[in-house]
Amino acid sequence: MVEIKDKKKEKKETPRPVIAVGDGAAIPTKEDVGLFTAWRVSFVGAIATVACLVIFSPDPYWRILKFLPDGILVTFQVTVAAIILALIIGLFTGLGRISKNKIINGIASLYVEIVRGIPLLVQLFYIYFALGRIVNVPAMASAIIAMAVCYGAYMGEIFRAGIESVSSGQMEAARSLGMTSSQAMRHVILPQAIKTILPPIGNEFVALLKDSSLVSILAVSDLLRRGREFAAESFNYFETYTMVALVYLIITLFLSKLISIMEDRVGANRQ
Amino acid sequence: MPTDNNSVMVEMREVYKYFGQLKALDNVSLDIHDGEKLVLIGPSGSGKSTLLRSINQLEQIDHGRIVVDGIDISDPDTDINKVREEIGMVFQSFNVFPHKTVLDNVNLAQIVVRKRSKKEASEISRELLNKVGIIEKVDEYPDKLSGGQQQRVAIARALAMKPKIMLFDEPTSALDPEMIGEVLDVMIKLAKEGITMIVVTHEMGFAREVADRVIFMDYGAIIEEGTPEHFFKNPTQERTKLFLNQIL
Protein backbone atom coordinates (compact mmCIF):
# COMPACT_ATOMS: atom_id res chain seq x y z
CA MET A 1 0.00 0.00 0.00
CA VAL A 2 2.81 2.32 0.89
CA GLU A 3 5.43 2.54 -1.78
CA ILE A 4 8.78 3.52 -0.51
CA LYS A 5 10.75 5.56 -2.95
CA ASP A 6 14.30 4.90 -1.94
CA LYS A 7 16.21 5.27 -5.15
CA LYS A 8 17.63 8.55 -3.95
CA LYS A 9 18.55 7.14 -0.58
CA GLU A 10 20.40 4.23 -2.04
CA LYS A 11 23.68 6.02 -2.50
CA LYS A 12 25.88 5.72 0.50
CA GLU A 13 25.60 8.73 2.68
CA THR A 14 28.13 9.51 5.32
CA PRO A 15 26.27 9.22 8.60
CA ARG A 16 25.27 12.69 9.68
CA PRO A 17 24.75 13.37 13.34
CA VAL A 18 21.09 13.62 14.22
CA ILE A 19 19.93 16.15 16.75
CA ALA A 20 17.18 14.64 18.82
CA VAL A 21 15.27 17.63 20.13
CA GLY A 22 11.66 18.62 19.82
CA ASP A 23 8.27 17.64 21.04
CA GLY A 24 6.28 18.48 17.95
CA ALA A 25 4.46 16.04 15.75
CA ALA A 26 7.03 13.64 14.36
CA ILE A 27 8.22 14.56 10.88
CA PRO A 28 7.31 11.64 8.64
CA THR A 29 10.26 10.29 6.68
CA LYS A 30 10.03 7.73 3.95
CA GLU A 31 12.33 5.35 5.81
CA ASP A 32 10.02 5.13 8.77
CA VAL A 33 7.20 3.15 7.21
CA GLY A 34 5.18 2.91 10.43
CA LEU A 35 5.20 6.62 11.00
CA PHE A 36 4.51 7.31 7.36
CA THR A 37 1.40 5.16 7.51
CA ALA A 38 0.36 6.72 10.81
CA TRP A 39 0.67 10.13 9.21
CA ARG A 40 -1.66 9.17 6.38
CA VAL A 41 -4.19 7.51 8.65
CA SER A 42 -4.41 10.42 11.05
CA PHE A 43 -4.40 13.10 8.36
CA VAL A 44 -7.08 11.45 6.24
CA GLY A 45 -8.95 10.42 9.38
CA ALA A 46 -9.00 13.94 10.80
CA ILE A 47 -10.25 15.45 7.56
CA ALA A 48 -12.88 12.74 7.16
CA THR A 49 -14.07 13.24 10.72
CA VAL A 50 -14.43 16.99 10.22
CA ALA A 51 -16.25 16.43 6.94
CA CYS A 52 -18.64 13.90 8.52
CA LEU A 53 -19.38 16.10 11.51
CA VAL A 54 -20.06 19.13 9.31
CA ILE A 55 -22.23 17.20 6.85
CA PHE A 56 -24.26 15.10 9.27
CA SER A 57 -24.51 17.58 12.09
CA PRO A 58 -24.11 21.07 10.64
CA ASP A 59 -25.52 22.55 13.81
CA PRO A 60 -23.29 23.27 15.72
CA TYR A 61 -20.27 21.90 13.80
CA TRP A 62 -20.62 23.95 10.65
CA ARG A 63 -21.21 27.08 12.74
CA ILE A 64 -18.08 26.31 14.76
CA LEU A 65 -15.99 25.74 11.65
CA LYS A 66 -17.14 29.05 10.18
CA PHE A 67 -16.22 30.80 13.41
CA LEU A 68 -12.63 29.51 13.61
CA PRO A 69 -10.70 30.79 10.50
CA ASP A 70 -9.93 34.21 12.04
CA GLY A 71 -8.28 32.37 14.88
CA ILE A 72 -6.32 30.12 12.54
CA LEU A 73 -4.94 33.22 10.87
CA VAL A 74 -3.87 34.70 14.22
CA THR A 75 -2.29 31.39 15.25
CA PHE A 76 -0.26 31.43 12.05
CA GLN A 77 0.73 35.06 12.49
CA VAL A 78 1.98 34.42 16.03
CA THR A 79 3.78 31.24 14.96
CA VAL A 80 5.50 32.65 11.90
CA ALA A 81 6.53 35.90 13.56
CA ALA A 82 7.78 34.09 16.65
CA ILE A 83 9.72 31.52 14.66
CA ILE A 84 11.50 34.16 12.58
CA LEU A 85 12.43 36.08 15.71
CA ALA A 86 13.43 32.86 17.48
CA LEU A 87 15.69 31.88 14.58
CA ILE A 88 17.54 35.17 14.83
CA ILE A 89 17.84 34.91 18.62
CA GLY A 90 18.81 31.26 18.26
CA LEU A 91 21.57 31.95 15.74
CA PHE A 92 23.21 34.49 18.02
CA THR A 93 22.68 32.35 21.10
CA GLY A 94 24.24 29.36 19.35
CA LEU A 95 27.22 31.44 18.24
CA GLY A 96 27.48 32.83 21.75
CA ARG A 97 27.46 29.35 23.26
CA ILE A 98 30.47 28.30 21.19
CA SER A 99 32.26 31.63 21.60
CA LYS A 100 35.64 31.56 23.28
CA ASN A 101 34.88 34.97 24.75
CA LYS A 102 33.93 34.16 28.34
CA ILE A 103 31.48 37.04 28.77
CA ILE A 104 29.55 36.37 25.56
CA ASN A 105 29.56 32.65 26.28
CA GLY A 106 28.38 33.30 29.84
CA ILE A 107 25.50 35.51 28.75
CA ALA A 108 24.34 33.04 26.11
CA SER A 109 24.55 30.08 28.50
CA LEU A 110 22.77 31.98 31.26
CA TYR A 111 19.96 32.92 28.90
CA VAL A 112 19.52 29.31 27.81
CA GLU A 113 19.56 28.01 31.37
CA ILE A 114 17.09 30.57 32.69
CA VAL A 115 14.64 30.33 29.84
CA ARG A 116 14.65 26.55 29.82
CA GLY A 117 13.98 26.52 33.53
CA ILE A 118 10.83 28.60 33.43
CA PRO A 119 7.55 27.27 32.06
CA LEU A 120 6.44 28.96 28.87
CA LEU A 121 3.10 29.90 30.40
CA VAL A 122 4.85 31.71 33.25
CA GLN A 123 7.13 33.45 30.75
CA LEU A 124 4.12 34.58 28.78
CA PHE A 125 2.48 36.08 31.87
CA TYR A 126 5.73 37.59 32.97
CA ILE A 127 6.63 39.31 29.72
CA TYR A 128 3.06 40.47 29.17
CA PHE A 129 2.68 42.03 32.60
CA ALA A 130 6.31 43.04 33.13
CA LEU A 131 6.48 44.79 29.78
CA GLY A 132 3.04 46.21 30.42
CA ARG A 133 4.35 48.13 33.42
CA ILE A 134 7.00 49.92 31.37
CA VAL A 135 5.54 50.31 27.91
CA ASN A 136 2.13 49.60 26.55
CA VAL A 137 2.76 46.62 24.33
CA PRO A 138 -0.16 45.13 22.44
CA ALA A 139 -1.04 41.61 23.59
CA MET A 140 -0.12 40.20 20.19
CA ALA A 141 3.38 41.71 20.28
CA SER A 142 4.16 40.55 23.80
CA ALA A 143 2.88 37.08 22.91
CA ILE A 144 5.24 36.95 19.94
CA ILE A 145 8.18 38.26 21.97
CA ALA A 146 7.58 35.77 24.77
CA MET A 147 7.32 32.83 22.38
CA ALA A 148 10.46 33.95 20.53
CA VAL A 149 12.46 34.44 23.72
CA CYS A 150 11.47 30.98 24.91
CA TYR A 151 12.04 29.18 21.61
CA GLY A 152 15.19 31.19 20.89
CA ALA A 153 16.87 29.32 23.73
CA TYR A 154 15.99 25.94 22.23
CA MET A 155 16.97 27.14 18.77
CA GLY A 156 20.27 28.28 20.22
CA GLU A 157 21.04 24.76 21.34
CA ILE A 158 20.11 23.42 17.90
CA PHE A 159 22.36 25.94 16.17
CA ARG A 160 25.18 25.12 18.57
CA ALA A 161 24.87 21.39 17.97
CA GLY A 162 24.62 21.94 14.22
CA ILE A 163 27.72 24.12 14.11
CA GLU A 164 29.64 21.67 16.26
CA SER A 165 28.66 18.83 13.92
CA VAL A 166 30.78 20.37 11.15
CA SER A 167 34.27 18.92 11.41
CA SER A 168 36.88 21.20 12.95
CA GLY A 169 39.08 20.72 9.88
CA GLN A 170 36.64 22.88 7.92
CA MET A 171 37.19 25.79 10.24
CA GLU A 172 40.96 25.25 10.16
CA ALA A 173 40.99 25.13 6.37
CA ALA A 174 39.00 28.36 6.17
CA ARG A 175 41.16 30.11 8.75
CA SER A 176 44.36 28.91 7.09
CA LEU A 177 43.21 30.73 3.94
CA GLY A 178 43.12 33.98 5.89
CA MET A 179 39.39 34.15 6.59
CA THR A 180 38.29 35.74 9.83
CA SER A 181 36.25 33.51 12.08
CA SER A 182 33.03 35.28 11.09
CA GLN A 183 33.83 34.91 7.38
CA ALA A 184 34.55 31.23 7.95
CA MET A 185 31.31 30.86 9.89
CA ARG A 186 29.27 32.53 7.19
CA HIS A 187 30.81 30.96 4.09
CA VAL A 188 31.95 27.56 5.31
CA ILE A 189 30.44 26.40 8.60
CA LEU A 190 26.83 27.62 8.61
CA PRO A 191 26.01 26.46 5.05
CA GLN A 192 27.09 22.95 6.11
CA ALA A 193 25.40 23.12 9.49
CA ILE A 194 22.05 23.93 7.85
CA LYS A 195 21.50 20.33 6.81
CA THR A 196 21.84 19.10 10.37
CA ILE A 197 19.92 22.02 11.78
CA LEU A 198 16.90 21.91 9.50
CA PRO A 199 15.09 18.79 10.78
CA PRO A 200 15.05 19.81 14.46
CA ILE A 201 14.07 23.33 13.46
CA GLY A 202 11.13 21.86 11.60
CA ASN A 203 10.20 20.07 14.80
CA GLU A 204 10.44 23.29 16.77
CA PHE A 205 8.23 25.00 14.21
CA VAL A 206 5.47 22.47 14.75
CA ALA A 207 5.97 22.53 18.51
CA LEU A 208 5.79 26.30 18.53
CA LEU A 209 2.57 26.22 16.56
CA LYS A 210 1.01 24.00 19.21
CA ASP A 211 2.39 26.02 22.08
CA SER A 212 1.00 29.16 20.49
CA SER A 213 -2.36 28.05 21.91
CA LEU A 214 -1.02 29.32 25.24
CA VAL A 215 -1.23 32.90 24.00
CA SER A 216 -5.00 32.63 24.12
CA ILE A 217 -4.76 33.59 27.79
CA LEU A 218 -3.26 36.97 26.81
CA ALA A 219 -6.39 38.13 25.01
CA VAL A 220 -4.96 37.18 21.65
CA SER A 221 -7.73 35.80 19.46
CA ASP A 222 -5.97 32.72 18.24
CA LEU A 223 -7.59 29.43 17.29
CA LEU A 224 -8.10 28.22 20.86
CA ARG A 225 -9.39 31.61 22.01
CA ARG A 226 -11.95 31.71 19.20
CA GLY A 227 -13.06 28.27 20.27
CA ARG A 228 -13.43 29.38 23.87
CA GLU A 229 -15.46 32.41 22.77
CA PHE A 230 -17.78 30.24 20.75
CA ALA A 231 -18.17 27.70 23.52
CA ALA A 232 -18.85 30.34 26.15
CA GLU A 233 -21.69 31.73 24.07
CA SER A 234 -23.22 28.51 22.87
CA PHE A 235 -22.38 26.18 25.78
CA ASN A 236 -21.33 23.60 23.18
CA TYR A 237 -18.06 22.89 24.96
CA PHE A 238 -17.59 19.32 23.83
CA GLU A 239 -18.41 20.01 20.20
CA THR A 240 -16.28 23.15 20.02
CA TYR A 241 -13.15 21.66 21.54
CA THR A 242 -13.51 18.55 19.36
CA MET A 243 -13.45 20.83 16.37
CA VAL A 244 -10.55 22.91 17.71
CA ALA A 245 -8.50 19.78 18.40
CA LEU A 246 -9.17 18.41 14.92
CA VAL A 247 -8.21 21.68 13.27
CA TYR A 248 -4.95 21.80 15.24
CA LEU A 249 -4.26 18.21 14.28
CA ILE A 250 -4.82 18.84 10.57
CA ILE A 251 -2.62 21.93 10.62
CA THR A 252 0.29 20.29 12.45
CA LEU A 253 0.16 17.15 10.31
CA PHE A 254 0.06 19.27 7.18
CA LEU A 255 3.00 21.32 8.41
CA SER A 256 5.12 18.34 9.35
CA LYS A 257 4.54 16.91 5.89
CA LEU A 258 5.55 20.20 4.33
CA ILE A 259 8.74 20.22 6.36
CA SER A 260 9.65 16.68 5.38
CA ILE A 261 9.26 17.65 1.72
CA MET A 262 11.48 20.66 2.31
CA GLU A 263 14.11 18.50 3.95
CA ASP A 264 14.14 16.20 0.95
CA ARG A 265 14.68 19.17 -1.33
CA VAL A 266 17.62 20.46 0.66
CA GLY A 267 19.05 16.98 0.92
CA ALA A 268 18.79 16.47 -2.83
CA ASN A 269 20.42 19.73 -3.81
CA ARG A 270 23.41 19.78 -1.54
CA GLN A 271 25.86 17.16 -0.59
CA MET B 1 72.11 22.20 -0.81
CA PRO B 2 72.02 24.88 1.92
CA THR B 3 70.65 28.21 0.85
CA ASP B 4 72.50 30.60 3.14
CA ASN B 5 72.42 33.46 0.69
CA ASN B 6 68.64 33.76 0.84
CA SER B 7 66.68 35.81 3.35
CA VAL B 8 64.99 34.07 6.26
CA MET B 9 61.30 33.35 5.65
CA VAL B 10 60.43 31.68 8.95
CA GLU B 11 62.40 32.21 12.11
CA MET B 12 61.60 30.18 15.25
CA ARG B 13 63.35 30.91 18.52
CA GLU B 14 63.13 28.78 21.66
CA VAL B 15 59.60 27.69 20.90
CA TYR B 16 57.73 25.64 23.49
CA LYS B 17 54.25 24.21 23.21
CA TYR B 18 52.49 22.08 25.79
CA PHE B 19 49.36 19.93 25.54
CA GLY B 20 48.63 19.54 29.23
CA GLN B 21 51.67 17.72 30.57
CA LEU B 22 52.91 16.72 27.15
CA LYS B 23 55.72 18.77 25.62
CA ALA B 24 54.71 18.99 21.98
CA LEU B 25 57.49 21.41 21.11
CA ASP B 26 60.59 21.46 23.27
CA ASN B 27 62.93 24.39 22.71
CA VAL B 28 62.71 24.46 18.94
CA SER B 29 64.84 27.03 17.12
CA LEU B 30 64.88 26.99 13.36
CA ASP B 31 65.49 29.26 10.37
CA ILE B 32 63.75 28.49 7.11
CA HIS B 33 65.03 30.39 4.11
CA ASP B 34 63.12 31.89 1.24
CA GLY B 35 62.65 29.23 -1.40
CA GLU B 36 63.86 26.42 0.81
CA LYS B 37 62.21 22.99 0.70
CA LEU B 38 62.18 21.63 4.21
CA VAL B 39 60.94 18.14 5.03
CA LEU B 40 60.03 17.22 8.60
CA ILE B 41 60.14 13.57 9.55
CA GLY B 42 59.70 11.71 12.80
CA PRO B 43 57.48 9.21 14.58
CA SER B 44 53.85 10.11 15.20
CA GLY B 45 53.47 12.39 18.18
CA SER B 46 56.96 13.76 17.71
CA GLY B 47 55.68 17.31 17.30
CA LYS B 48 56.29 17.76 13.58
CA SER B 49 52.65 18.61 12.81
CA THR B 50 52.54 20.93 15.81
CA LEU B 51 55.63 22.72 14.52
CA LEU B 52 54.01 23.12 11.12
CA ARG B 53 50.71 24.32 12.58
CA SER B 54 52.44 26.84 14.81
CA ILE B 55 53.80 28.63 11.74
CA ASN B 56 50.30 29.78 10.75
CA GLN B 57 49.13 29.79 14.34
CA LEU B 58 46.63 27.00 14.08
CA GLU B 59 48.48 26.11 17.28
CA GLN B 60 49.31 28.92 19.65
CA ILE B 61 52.78 28.51 21.14
CA ASP B 62 53.29 28.84 24.88
CA HIS B 63 56.75 30.33 24.83
CA GLY B 64 59.24 31.66 22.30
CA ARG B 65 59.05 33.66 19.13
CA ILE B 66 58.01 32.94 15.56
CA VAL B 67 58.68 35.49 12.84
CA VAL B 68 57.15 34.86 9.42
CA ASP B 69 58.34 37.02 6.53
CA GLY B 70 59.42 39.73 8.93
CA ILE B 71 56.20 39.71 10.98
CA ASP B 72 56.33 38.53 14.59
CA ILE B 73 53.25 36.30 14.86
CA SER B 74 53.75 35.69 18.57
CA ASP B 75 53.00 39.39 19.09
CA PRO B 76 49.34 39.63 20.16
CA ASP B 77 48.92 42.82 18.11
CA THR B 78 49.70 41.03 14.87
CA ASP B 79 46.71 40.48 12.59
CA ILE B 80 47.12 36.76 12.10
CA ASN B 81 44.63 36.70 9.23
CA LYS B 82 46.91 38.94 7.17
CA VAL B 83 49.83 36.59 7.83
CA ARG B 84 47.77 33.52 6.99
CA GLU B 85 46.91 34.97 3.58
CA GLU B 86 50.58 34.49 2.73
CA ILE B 87 50.79 30.93 4.08
CA GLY B 88 49.03 28.17 2.19
CA MET B 89 48.23 24.98 4.03
CA VAL B 90 47.34 21.49 2.85
CA PHE B 91 45.89 19.06 5.37
CA GLN B 92 46.04 15.32 5.78
CA SER B 93 42.25 15.13 5.65
CA PHE B 94 41.98 17.48 2.60
CA ASN B 95 39.27 19.62 4.24
CA VAL B 96 37.79 20.70 0.94
CA PHE B 97 34.47 22.46 1.36
CA PRO B 98 31.83 19.80 0.62
CA HIS B 99 29.02 22.30 -0.04
CA LYS B 100 30.92 24.04 -2.83
CA THR B 101 31.90 22.95 -6.32
CA VAL B 102 35.57 22.47 -7.14
CA LEU B 103 35.69 25.90 -8.77
CA ASP B 104 33.97 27.58 -5.83
CA ASN B 105 36.31 25.84 -3.40
CA VAL B 106 39.24 27.51 -5.10
CA ASN B 107 37.37 30.80 -5.64
CA LEU B 108 36.02 31.32 -2.14
CA ALA B 109 38.96 32.76 -0.24
CA GLN B 110 40.12 34.72 -3.28
CA ILE B 111 36.78 36.52 -3.32
CA VAL B 112 36.22 36.79 0.43
CA VAL B 113 39.77 37.49 1.58
CA ARG B 114 41.68 38.80 -1.43
CA LYS B 115 38.61 40.71 -2.64
CA ARG B 116 39.06 39.59 -6.22
CA SER B 117 36.09 39.75 -8.57
CA LYS B 118 34.43 36.46 -9.34
CA LYS B 119 35.66 36.63 -12.91
CA GLU B 120 39.25 37.31 -11.93
CA ALA B 121 39.15 34.60 -9.26
CA SER B 122 37.70 32.05 -11.67
CA GLU B 123 40.45 32.72 -14.18
CA ILE B 124 43.12 32.13 -11.56
CA SER B 125 41.27 29.05 -10.27
CA ARG B 126 40.97 27.49 -13.71
CA GLU B 127 44.63 28.07 -14.39
CA LEU B 128 45.58 26.36 -11.11
CA LEU B 129 43.10 23.51 -11.55
CA ASN B 130 44.64 22.96 -14.94
CA LYS B 131 48.06 22.89 -13.35
CA VAL B 132 47.04 20.27 -10.77
CA GLY B 133 45.32 18.31 -13.51
CA ILE B 134 41.63 18.38 -12.61
CA ILE B 135 40.31 21.12 -14.85
CA GLU B 136 37.63 18.72 -16.13
CA LYS B 137 36.09 18.53 -12.65
CA VAL B 138 35.47 22.26 -12.08
CA ASP B 139 31.72 21.92 -11.68
CA GLU B 140 31.71 18.73 -9.61
CA TYR B 141 31.11 18.59 -5.87
CA PRO B 142 33.97 17.13 -3.80
CA ASP B 143 32.07 13.96 -2.89
CA LYS B 144 32.26 12.94 -6.55
CA LEU B 145 36.06 13.14 -6.42
CA SER B 146 38.65 10.61 -5.30
CA GLY B 147 40.90 11.39 -2.37
CA GLY B 148 43.80 12.24 -4.62
CA GLN B 149 41.62 14.60 -6.64
CA GLN B 150 40.29 16.26 -3.49
CA GLN B 151 43.80 16.81 -2.23
CA ARG B 152 44.79 18.39 -5.53
CA VAL B 153 41.79 20.73 -5.24
CA ALA B 154 43.02 21.61 -1.75
CA ILE B 155 46.47 22.40 -3.14
CA ALA B 156 44.98 24.60 -5.85
CA ARG B 157 42.81 26.31 -3.25
CA ALA B 158 45.87 27.17 -1.16
CA LEU B 159 47.90 28.28 -4.20
CA ALA B 160 45.12 30.58 -5.37
CA MET B 161 45.99 32.95 -2.54
CA LYS B 162 49.46 33.32 -4.11
CA PRO B 163 51.15 32.42 -0.84
CA LYS B 164 54.84 32.86 -0.11
CA ILE B 165 54.99 29.70 1.98
CA MET B 166 53.23 26.37 1.57
CA LEU B 167 52.73 24.05 4.52
CA PHE B 168 51.93 20.39 3.86
CA ASP B 169 50.75 18.34 6.82
CA GLU B 170 51.07 14.68 5.80
CA PRO B 171 49.31 15.38 2.50
CA THR B 172 49.39 11.79 1.28
CA SER B 173 48.80 9.87 4.52
CA ALA B 174 45.05 9.59 4.07
CA LEU B 175 45.30 8.48 0.44
CA ASP B 176 45.03 5.06 -1.13
CA PRO B 177 48.46 3.98 -2.39
CA GLU B 178 47.60 4.37 -6.06
CA MET B 179 46.71 8.03 -5.53
CA ILE B 180 49.83 9.10 -3.67
CA GLY B 181 51.80 9.53 -6.87
CA GLU B 182 49.45 12.06 -8.46
CA VAL B 183 49.62 14.30 -5.39
CA LEU B 184 53.38 14.00 -5.03
CA ASP B 185 53.80 14.85 -8.71
CA VAL B 186 51.94 18.11 -8.16
CA MET B 187 54.10 18.88 -5.13
CA ILE B 188 57.32 18.18 -7.03
CA LYS B 189 56.16 20.43 -9.83
CA LEU B 190 55.43 23.13 -7.29
CA ALA B 191 58.81 22.71 -5.61
CA LYS B 192 60.56 23.44 -8.88
CA GLU B 193 58.84 26.84 -9.05
CA GLY B 194 60.79 28.16 -6.09
CA ILE B 195 58.09 28.60 -3.44
CA THR B 196 59.09 28.00 0.19
CA MET B 197 57.75 24.58 1.18
CA ILE B 198 57.60 22.93 4.57
CA VAL B 199 56.40 19.36 4.33
CA VAL B 200 55.58 16.84 7.02
CA THR B 201 55.62 13.47 5.33
CA HIS B 202 56.58 9.82 5.51
CA GLU B 203 57.33 9.73 1.79
CA MET B 204 61.09 9.35 1.85
CA GLY B 205 61.29 9.26 -1.93
CA PHE B 206 59.81 12.73 -2.01
CA ALA B 207 62.23 13.95 0.66
CA ARG B 208 65.15 12.56 -1.31
CA GLU B 209 64.07 14.18 -4.55
CA VAL B 210 62.86 17.57 -3.35
CA ALA B 211 64.23 18.50 0.06
CA ASP B 212 67.04 21.01 0.56
CA ARG B 213 67.08 20.01 4.18
CA VAL B 214 65.52 17.25 6.26
CA ILE B 215 64.76 17.60 9.94
CA PHE B 216 64.17 14.64 12.21
CA MET B 217 62.06 15.32 15.30
CA ASP B 218 61.28 13.22 18.33
CA TYR B 219 59.61 14.11 21.64
CA GLY B 220 59.02 17.66 20.43
CA ALA B 221 62.66 18.43 19.79
CA ILE B 222 64.85 18.62 16.69
CA ILE B 223 67.17 15.62 16.94
CA GLU B 224 69.06 15.88 13.69
CA GLU B 225 69.08 17.94 10.54
CA GLY B 226 70.93 17.81 7.28
CA THR B 227 70.70 17.26 3.56
CA PRO B 228 68.76 14.23 2.36
CA GLU B 229 72.08 12.70 1.36
CA HIS B 230 73.46 13.01 4.85
CA PHE B 231 70.26 11.59 6.24
CA PHE B 232 69.91 8.52 4.15
CA LYS B 233 73.61 7.65 3.91
CA ASN B 234 75.09 8.35 7.33
CA PRO B 235 72.80 9.70 10.02
CA THR B 236 74.66 10.36 13.24
CA GLN B 237 72.02 10.05 15.93
CA GLU B 238 70.90 6.64 17.22
CA ARG B 239 67.22 7.61 17.25
CA THR B 240 67.40 8.77 13.65
CA LYS B 241 68.95 5.50 12.56
CA LEU B 242 66.32 3.55 14.43
CA PHE B 243 63.49 5.53 12.88
CA LEU B 244 64.88 5.34 9.37
CA ASN B 245 65.41 1.61 9.72
CA GLN B 246 61.77 1.21 10.65
CA ILE B 247 60.33 3.10 7.71
CA LEU B 248 62.78 2.40 4.90
Side-chain angles (χ1 to χ4, degrees), chain A residues 11 167-181 183 187-189 191-192 269-271, chain B residues 53 56 58 81 84-85 87 89 91 95-100 108-109 112-113 115 141 143 157-158 161:
Chain A
K11 73 167 188 219
S167 97
S168 60
Q170 292 289 314
M171 182 52 111
E172 286 189 346
R175 296 304 303 273
S176 78
L177 290 163
M179 288 188 211
T180 63
S181 56
Q183 285 170 335
H187 296 287
V188 176
I189 307 297
Q192 295 182 60
N269 290 343
R270 291 191 187 170
Q271 316 305 313
Chain B
R53 291 160 57 86
N56 68 351
L58 284 183
N81 296 318
R84 282 176 178 155
E85 289 177 27
I87 310 176
M89 181 152 189
F91 299 84
N95 296 341
V96 289
F97 305 136
H99 61 299
K100 296 207 171 282
L108 182 65
V112 173
V113 180
K115 310 287 177 210
Y141 281 90
D143 71 337
R157 179 179 68 178
M161 298 297 284

Side-chain angles (χ1 to χ4, degrees), chain A residues 24-29 39 43 202-203 205-206 249-263:
Chain A
I27 310 291
T29 56
W39 183 87
F43 190 66
N203 266 318
F205 191 83
V206 176
L249 185 61
I250 291 168
I251 294 173
T252 50
L253 287 170
F254 179 73
L255 259 181
S256 54
K257 185 68 183 170
L258 209 64
I259 290 161
S260 88
I261 292 169
M262 251 169 58
E263 279 169 17

Side-chain angles (χ1 to χ4, degrees), chain A residues 7 20 30 44 48 92 156 166 184 195 210:
Chain A
K7 55 174 187 269
K30 281 161 191 154
V44 174
F92 285 103
V166 179
K195 276 191 78 176
K210 289 191 303 166

Side-chain angles (χ1 to χ4, degrees), chain A residues 53-98:
Chain A
L53 290 174
V54 166
I55 290 162
F56 294 114
S57 179
D59 187 37
Y61 289 109
W62 177 234
R63 287 199 295 127
I64 299 169
L65 198 63
K66 277 194 298 186
F67 194 75
L68 294 179
D70 290 351
I72 296 174
L73 189 67
V74 171
T75 291
F76 268 111
Q77 282 167 347
V78 171
T79 306
V80 170
I83 206 103
I84 290 168
L85 208 54
L87 279 172
I88 296 166
I89 297 173
L91 174 60
F92 285 103
T93 309
L95 291 172
R97 292 267 288 142
I98 55 166

